[in-house]
Amino acid sequence: MTDHYRHRGQRRGLVTALRGRGIADEHVLAAIGAVPRHLFFDPGFEAHAYHDKAFPIGEGQTISQPYTVAYQTALLGLQPNHRVLEVGTGSGYQCAVLLQLTPLVHSIECNAVLFERTAQLLARLDVGRPDLHCGDGSLGLPEAAPYDAILVTAGAPALPPALLRQLKIGGRLVIPVGDAGQQRMVRVVREGPNNYLREELEEFRFVPLRGAAGWRT
Ligand code: SAM
C-alpha cells in the first residue's frame, strides 16, 4: 500500500484539473490532494486512478469521478465538528475524502460484497476511522441521527423522506434526483422543523439508488 512520489505528483495534477473545472473550496481540494485514490483501485487498474473519470469497482458499481466527489463534498459545507452520513460507501474513496474534513463520518452500503471489501480496505488505510454499516441507506441511519450533512452517491427517483427527517435544523442533504439515465444534483437545507429549501444544480449520471426509497428494479 505505497503512496509513491509519482502518485503525489499525479494527485497535484488532478487537483489542478479540478480547480480548472471550477472547484474553488480549498478545504475540499486539499482533501482530494491528501487521499491516495490509487489505493481504492485494483492494482492492475492503478493507471486510471488519477484521471477525472468514474471507474468500475465490481458488483455493477463505480468509484465516482473525482469532479463529482469534489462537487458534492463542496456543497455539504462541512466543518470539523459536523456529523455526516454518506449513503453508498462503494469503494470507500468518497468516505476517505469526507474523513479529511470531519472525523464524524457514518457511511452505509447496501451491497454486502462491497461493504465487506471496503470495510477491510479502510481498516488498513491511514485515512481515518468511519462508522460503516451494511443496509438500506435510502432509510438513512436513524441510530446516529440527526446529521449536519447527508450525501447520497447514487441517483434517487425522489427525495427520500427518512433522509429529510434525519437532518439537523440547518443541515444539508446533497442528492442526485431524476430518472435512471440522468439526474440533477439537488441540495436541500432544513431551515426549520417542517421547512426545507431546495436548490436544483448541475446534471450528472449516477448508478441507481436501491432500497425502499430508491428504484425497485
Ligand atoms: N461513494 C462511492 C465511492 O466513493 O466509491 C460511490 C459509490 S457508487 C457511485 C454508489 C453506491 O451506492 C454503490 O456502491 C451502491 O451499491 C450503493 N447503493 C445504492 N443504493 C443504496 C442504498 N439504498 N443504500 C446503500 N447503498 C446504496
Side-chain angles (χ1 to χ4, degrees), residues 156-179:
L159 296 177
L163 298 186
L164 294 172
R165 281 197 301 275
Q166 290 173 31
L167 281 179
K168 283 185 188 171
I169 307 298
R172 297 170 174 202
L173 166 65
V174 172
I175 179 169
V177 178
D179 63 31

Side-chain angles (χ1 to χ4, degrees), residues 57 61-64 86-95 108-111 114 135-138 153-154 206-211:
I57 56 171
Q61 303 301 328
T62 54
I63 179 171
S64 297
E86 178 194 25
V87 176
T89 317
S91 69
Y93 174 67
Q94 168 78 74
C95 184
I108 182 164
E109 169 59 53
C110 65
N111 181 296
L114 290 178
D136 179 6
S138 78
T153 69
F206 280 81
V207 295
L209 181 73
R210 301 294 180 196

Side-chain angles (χ1 to χ4, degrees), residues 21 65 67-69 71-72 75 176-177 179-186 201-206:
R21 283 200 66 184
Q65 182 179 352
Y67 174 74
T68 306
V69 171
Y71 182 91
Q72 288 197 286
L75 287 175
V177 178
D179 63 31
Q182 187 118 27
Q183 305 89 29
R184 192 164 286 285
M185 196 64 71
V186 175
L201 304 159
E202 283 182 30
E203 285 192 342
F204 288 85
R205 184 171 296 189
F206 280 81

